[in-house]
Amino acid sequence: MQGLLLYLTQTLALIRKEMLALLKDPSSRALLFAPALMQSLLFGYGATYDLTHAPYAVLDQSRGAASTQILARLDGTGVFQRIATLDSPARIAAQIDSGKALLVVTFPPDFESRLAAGTTAPMQVILDGRNSATAGAAAAQVAAIVADFNRTLGAAPPVTIIRRAWFNPNFESRWNLMPAMIASLSMLQTLMLAALSVAREREQGTFDQLLVTPLTPTQILIGKALPAIFVGLVQSTIILLIILFWFQIPMAGSLWLLYGGLLAFTTASVGIGLSISAVSLTMQQAMLYTFMLVMPLMLLSGLLTPVRNMPQALQILTYANPLRFGIDTVRRVYLEGATFPDIAANFLPLLVLAGITLPLAAWLFRHRLG
């Protein structure tokens, strides 16, 4: 019993030392929590695929009632802003090449007469493909406006589509992106914090002093891991509060289940960071290794591209990426209201990763002892 009490006392003392090292300096405290606040706001406002502003130019060689009605519908959306009315096809290229117009809408001279004769009347939309996502959204909205105009010309079409979107009724990209930030933004800071923890002490010479104390490698591991996990959860909480109360994206699932998934995800991320820190001799090496790892983790996480759309080899590789399962867990709990049986499969890879990386970091501590 006394041995267990001594073990816990020593471990808590190390944890306290690590927390003091992180929080005693006001500038360090700001660096730990201010980036999560600023980045979540920046992503919420800046990283959006919603079509809110689409400048366009018009070449109306028909000048009939039909083309006027279609253009009035475009202008009435509040999304399409007409920046130029062209008088010849030769001026189209300049509008697209300069980037002033996202699209150019053209009507041929016989557009009105074709409609009056009951034949197909072509309407051309020229898009700036350099911004494919926004251009595709603009093309889809133009198509919807034209389809609505067509219904006013004659009999109703035989098949109609009634669209209902679950979990994101207004198709706002912010609803899909911001919950994922709870995991991804906190991982960036947590991974860096864990990666620098041992490397910083080794560079300063204090890690050698730590190794000659009665502390075991497991105690050193716990002392280094728990503060980083705590910081990661606090950062996730900051981002969660911004999403809930600033952007007012409603949460459908259990808060306890969300934090259970975040705990497993953060623990796996800290394990990777401590493994990096254990093999790094300097802080510069630790930062370099972390930067090399962060981009592949982001690209293979499903944050922007669904994992199912990746090649099979990359899909298998994503099983070693905790961010994939962290993002999936947060999105499903937050937006879908998923229960534990629904996301239980995400916990297993995270626990396996934590079970591999944390003992690996402890083994590297022990290896350096020898």
Side-chain angles (χ1 to χ4, degrees):
M1 187 64 181
Q2 291 182 346
L4 177 60
L5 184 61
L6 178 62
Y7 185 92
L8 293 176
T9 302
Q10 292 173 338
T11 305
L12 289 175
L14 181 58
I15 294 173
R16 181 175 180 273
K17 179 188 81 71
E18 290 295 323
M19 291 299 297
L20 287 175
L22 291 174
L23 302 177
K24 68 178 180 179
D25 185 10
S27 60
S28 297
R29 292 196 298 269
L31 288 174
L32 286 175
F33 304 115
L37 175 64
M38 293 186 295
Q39 289 172 359
S40 57
L41 290 173
L42 287 173
F43 272 95
Y45 286 112
T48 175
Y49 296 105
D50 297 332
L51 188 66
T52 57
H53 176 69
Y56 79 101
V58 175
L59 175 61
D60 186 4
Q61 296 175 302
S62 171
R63 301 184 184 277
S67 62
T68 302
Q69 289 183 38
I70 292 174
L71 293 175
R73 289 170 182 258
L74 285 175
D75 295 333
T77 61
V79 172
F80 294 94
Q81 287 84 38
R82 192 188 308 188
I83 61 167
T85 300
L86 309 180
D87 53 17
S88 71
R91 297 184 58 190
I92 293 176
Q95 296 294 323
I96 297 293
D97 293 347
S98 65
K100 294 179 180 178
L102 177 66
L103 66 157
V104 177
V105 179
T106 68
F107 298 92
D110 58 349
F111 183 78
E112 189 76 19
S113 60
R114 282 173 175 263
L115 283 179
T119 61
T120 301
M123 165 187 165
Q124 186 180 48
V125 179
I126 302 172
L127 299 160
D128 184 354
R130 292 170 295 190
N131 191 345
S132 58
T134 306
Q141 191 153 346
V142 171
I145 291 172
V146 172
D148 185 63
F149 171 77
N150 287 336
R151 284 192 288 270
T152 66
L153 297 179
V159 178
T160 60
I161 298 175
I162 300 176
R163 187 179 67 175
R164 295 288 185 270
W166 289 6
F167 315 126
N168 188 356
N170 295 321
F171 284 99
E172 294 184 33
S173 60
R174 182 181 293 161
W175 282 44
N176 179 61
L177 184 64
M178 290 307 294
M181 293 295 105
I182 297 175
S184 56
L185 288 182
S186 65
M187 189 204 72
L188 293 176
Q189 293 268 8
T190 303
L191 193 63
M192 182 64 71
L193 179 64
L196 293 177
S197 61
V198 176
R200 180 179 59 250
E201 291 204 41
R202 183 172 286 122
E203 193 174 79
Q204 294 172 350
T206 57
F207 191 69
D208 292 334
Q209 300 174 9
L210 188 63
L211 294 179
V212 298
T213 63
L215 296 173
T216 65
T218 302
Q219 287 177 294
I220 297 175
L221 175 70
I222 295 173
K224 295 290 185 182
L226 288 184
I229 293 172
F230 171 75
V231 170
L233 292 177
V234 171
Q235 289 181 334
S236 296
T237 302
I238 293 173
I239 301 168
L240 174 64
L241 292 175
I242 291 173
I243 295 172
L244 278 173
F245 298 109
W246 185 267
F247 293 109
Q248 296 184 347
I249 301 175
M251 180 175 173
S254 165
L255 192 64
W256 292 106
L257 183 57
L258 176 66
Y259 272 92
L262 287 173
L263 178 61
F265 161 71
T266 306
T267 303
S269 300
V270 168
I272 295 175
L274 287 176
S275 299
I276 293 173
S277 189
V279 299
S280 302
L281 295 175
T282 64
M283 293 177 63
Q284 185 178 8
Q285 286 185 2
M287 293 178 64
L288 179 61
Y289 295 154
T290 303
F291 286 140
M292 289 175 58
L293 191 61
V294 162
M295 187 56 69
L297 291 178
M298 286 290 186
L299 292 175
L300 298 178
S301 67
L303 175 63
L304 301 175
T305 304
V307 174
R308 63 178 177 273
N309 292 349
M310 299 178 187
Q312 189 65 34
L314 291 182
Q315 291 187 37
I316 296 173
L317 190 61
T318 59
Y319 281 93
N321 183 4
L323 189 56
R324 169 192 171 175
F325 303 101
I327 288 178
D328 186 69
T329 297
V330 172
R331 276 178 173 167
R332 297 193 63 188
V333 173
Y334 196 104
L335 295 176
E336 299 177 23
T339 60
F340 180 75
D342 298 324
I343 61 170
N346 287 340
F347 281 84
L348 181 60
L350 292 173
L351 294 176
V352 169
L353 285 169
I356 293 174
T357 55
L358 289 173
L360 175 62
W363 181 87
L364 290 169
F365 296 154
R366 186 167 55 248
H367 180 72
R368 290 196 179 276
L369 275 170

